[in-house]
Amino acid sequence: MEFERDRNFLIGRFKSIGFALKGALKLITTEHSIMVQTSIGALMVIAGFYFHISHVEWMIQTLAIGFVLGVEGINTAVEKVADFIHPEFHKKIGFIKDIAAGAVFFAALTAVVIGCMIYIPKI
């Protein structure tokens, strides 16, 4: 089956945005890890308003939140693909999923360090 080429650039971009929003909504509404990370991100935004963080701190905090959510989304996609390809337990699939989870750990740890650097001096 050959895919039809989208000849209208602008319509294609709007479709892409729609698919991205649909994917983000699916992540936020179905994946518990994303729900937790989104909740923590929301708490950090509230803390930012409460502590009146600077523009630079807002930028860094926003990047950290987006980084964690993005890596968590990629981790979820890796897990879903791995489960689809090999539904029963397999040592190599487990290794791949552990690596993807490790990437989330590094992103989350980085966000925690950034949060500490921003908020500890204000407390």
Side-chain angles (χ1 to χ4, degrees):
M1 177 178 163
E2 191 172 319
F3 289 100
E4 185 179 318
R5 183 175 175 202
D6 191 352
R7 301 209 183 271
N8 189 324
F9 178 79
L10 193 57
I11 290 174
R13 299 304 56 88
F14 282 125
K15 285 181 181 179
S16 295
I17 291 168
F19 294 139
L21 290 172
K22 183 179 175 182
L25 187 61
K26 282 183 181 181
L27 273 170
I28 292 170
T29 58
T30 63
E31 297 300 319
H32 292 284
S33 57
I34 291 285
M35 291 176 196
V36 169
Q37 299 293 0
T38 302
S39 299
I40 293 169
L43 289 173
M44 298 313 295
V45 169
I46 292 167
F49 285 115
Y50 180 80
F51 287 104
H52 304 287
I53 64 176
S54 72
H55 286 85
V56 172
E57 290 168 330
W58 271 114
M59 287 187 287
I60 294 168
Q61 176 173 282
T62 302
L63 282 170
I65 293 167
F67 181 55
V68 171
L69 292 175
V71 174
E72 188 73 65
I74 292 169
N75 176 54
T76 299
V78 167
E79 288 181 354
K80 298 292 185 192
V81 169
D83 290 344
F84 178 76
I85 292 171
H86 209 293
E88 58 277 352
F89 177 78
H90 190 279
K91 189 176 177 180
K92 288 183 180 180
I93 294 291
F95 182 77
I96 291 165
K97 291 168 97 175
D98 287 348
I99 289 172
V104 175
F105 174 75
F106 286 133
L109 186 62
T110 300
V112 167
V113 169
I114 288 169
C116 288
M117 292 171 75
I118 292 172
Y119 292 106
I120 287 176
K122 296 177 185 324
I123 297 172

